[in-house]
Amino acid sequence: MGLRDDVARVLIPEDELQARVADLGQAINETYTDEDCPLLVCVLKGAFVFLADLTRHLKVRHEVDFMEISSYGAGTKSTGVVRILLDLEQSIEGRHVLIVEDIVDSGRTLAYMRRNLQTRGPASLRVCALLSKPSRREVDVTLDWVGFEVPNEFVVGYGLDYAEEYRNLSFIGVLKKEVYAQGD
Ligand code: PRP
């Protein structure tokens, strides 16, 4: 019973996810110094689970802040027009900024964020994305760290939702077609 029954198959099991997140944390530890004190910018809502695990693998001094971005348009397809629903609490001028994303699909959200944050004068701007769907890319965006490349399937779990549910699954799964077909 429950959300697990709506998943056709597990794409990335919990242990693989956790091992990869630890690797990403290690790579970030090796990139920054305590003096850099990077600011991790979590892109809500999807990245909150990834950020929570990633931050606990960091030994380097750092801070976290949050942004919420939304794309206009109904349905599952993004129109490419994005707006800020929640902005950072603090200034990033002269700061080392690391954007933490759950998934990069068309690349439009990230392209917008990069452009927007760059105008605020950060000392550096990098991106760590847990998942990337290269087959869906419409805009070329640079990703400094990627956890996994995934096929063009409807993935949920570990922060990723369908209609705001499934974010709490501890693995990445492919949603059964009949679940989202009835919502379109
Ligand atoms: C998802 C994801 C990225 C964006 C990627 O967010 O978290 O921010 O879409 O898509 P793109 O590369 O095509 O722009 P979503 O709009 O689903 O919001 P959520 O994180 O609150 O679920």
Side-chain angles (χ1 to χ4, degrees):
M1 174 191 133
L3 298 175
R4 179 64 183 83
D5 294 339
D6 293 342
V7 173
R9 69 175 207 281
V10 175
L11 191 63
I12 310 170
E14 182 176 3
D15 57 343
E16 276 179 42
L17 267 178
Q18 292 299 334
R20 189 71 186 122
V21 175
D23 289 347
L24 293 170
Q26 182 57 29
I28 293 166
N29 284 326
E30 288 165 8
T31 300
Y32 298 99
T33 64
D34 282 341
E35 203 170 298
D36 291 336
C37 192
L39 179 69
L40 272 60
V41 173
C42 174
V43 187
L44 294 172
K45 301 173 190 163
F48 82 98
V49 178
F50 177 38
L51 175 90
D53 283 343
L54 186 66
T55 188
R56 285 177 288 176
H57 285 290
L58 296 189
K59 297 188 175 72
V60 71
R61 280 181 59 213
H62 66 284
E63 297 175 15
V64 300
D65 205 343
F66 299 86
M67 262 182 106
E68 187 169 4
I69 308 286
S70 157
S71 25
Y72 283 101
T76 51
K77 295 240 165 30
S78 159
T79 55
V81 182
V82 289
R83 67 189 168 126
I84 296 175
L85 298 182
L86 174 77
D87 206 345
L88 297 174
E89 194 177 84
Q90 48 183 305
S91 161
I92 57 166
E93 194 174 349
R95 295 291 307 266
H96 293 276
V97 174
L98 175 60
I99 298 173
V100 178
E101 255 292 20
D102 54 332
I103 187 164
V104 181
D105 196 329
S106 70
R108 292 188 184 280
T109 304
L110 194 56
Y112 173 83
M113 281 198 71
R114 263 194 178 280
R115 261 199 324 275
N116 184 286
L117 296 183
Q118 199 65 59
T119 63
R120 308 185 194 190
S124 68
L125 186 55
R126 291 187 176 93
V127 178
C128 180
L130 179 69
L131 306 178
S132 173
K133 266 188 193 173
S135 60
R136 298 254 306 174
R137 203 72 91 246
E138 292 169 24
V139 184
D140 200 21
V141 281
T142 304
L143 306 177
D144 298 272
W145 295 284
V146 178
F148 301 88
E149 290 196 346
V150 293
N152 188 16
E153 293 189 271
F154 204 127
V155 288
V156 294
Y158 201 72
L160 285 90
D161 75 310
Y162 169 62
E164 297 299 329
E165 291 191 289
Y166 308 96
R167 295 190 196 274
N168 59 314
L169 297 176
S170 53
F171 56 87
I172 300 285
V174 176
L175 202 59
K176 286 180 181 165
K177 273 207 176 65
E178 59 261 37
V179 176
Y180 57 89
Q182 64 194 6
D184 274 353

